[in-house]
Amino acid sequence: MAPSVDHLISAVENRLSCYTLTNKSPISDSRVQEIVNAAVKNAPSAFNVQSARAVVLLKRDHEKLWDLGDECLKKAMPEAAYQALAPRVQGFKEAYGTVLFCEDQSALDGLKDKNPGIQHVIRDWSLHSSGMHQFIVWTALELEGLGCNLQHYNFMTEFSDQVRQTWNLPNTWELHCQLVFGQPKDGLKRSRERTYLPLEEERVKIFGS
Ligand SMILES: Cc1cc2nc3c(=O)[nH]c(=O)nc-3n(C[C@H](O)[C@H](O)[C@H](O)COP(=O)(O)O)c2cc1C
């Protein structure tokens, strides 16, 4: 299929964070997997190191993830902060699935060993590449009618550790984020209107044109 720039830009323009999700999906689980596979296979990585790892948690496994999120939050936060965040976590749990994006530190260590002169930038590059993977999956799931939001509960070390233990993931897989998805409750729409800073001169410069 010939890709078109207009289709790509329109998908990019339409992507949004959606927090009112249900535990249903308009597409099959194998289609979700196909999308994640396509992102992990094709997104670029520094020196083609391919350090991205993804874990798709659906239904009961997804719910288990957010039970863990709730437990960890309860331990890590002051009571008032926990009370404020708990309904959000409950909202994530009510969705259909979560994609965990990880970066395999053993692959990155291999790259560092081969390139000692650039060791200090490899972590940055790994994060850049992970973001590209996340964006592809987020945008593609949305094109299929799913709503998504991006979370970072790995700010709690215990959450990352529990996730690794529960799904028996290698110790070298560092968890970076959680993309929650599900069929939107009342259609795909932004939870709040997005504002845009001016582009020309302030955010984008062009020279030599
Ligand atoms: C690197 C990054 C981190 C983010 N972290 C969170 C997060 O932890 N929780 C959350 O609800 N949204 C998170 N977001 C979503 C942004 O808040 C959201 O994309 C932004 O406000 C623009 O809104 P939109 O996604 O509806 O266009 C994150 C987005 C990016 C790119």
Side-chain angles (χ1 to χ4, degrees), residues 73-128:
L73 210 54
K74 201 173 174 54
K75 284 194 220 162
M77 304 298 259
E79 184 58 20
Y82 167 72
Q83 290 300 339
L85 284 168
R88 281 177 74 88
V89 176
Q90 184 57 33
F92 306 147
K93 186 179 169 185
E94 285 166 13
Y96 184 76
T98 301
V99 185
L100 308 176
F101 289 90
C102 306
E103 283 286 298
D104 188 348
Q105 301 307 301
S106 67
L108 295 167
D109 286 346
L111 187 59
K112 284 181 191 165
D113 289 345
K114 276 194 234 153
N115 302 279
I118 54 162
Q119 284 200 1
H120 60 293
V121 289
I122 286 177
R123 183 168 175 80
D124 285 355
W125 291 351
S126 143
L127 299 177
H128 299 175

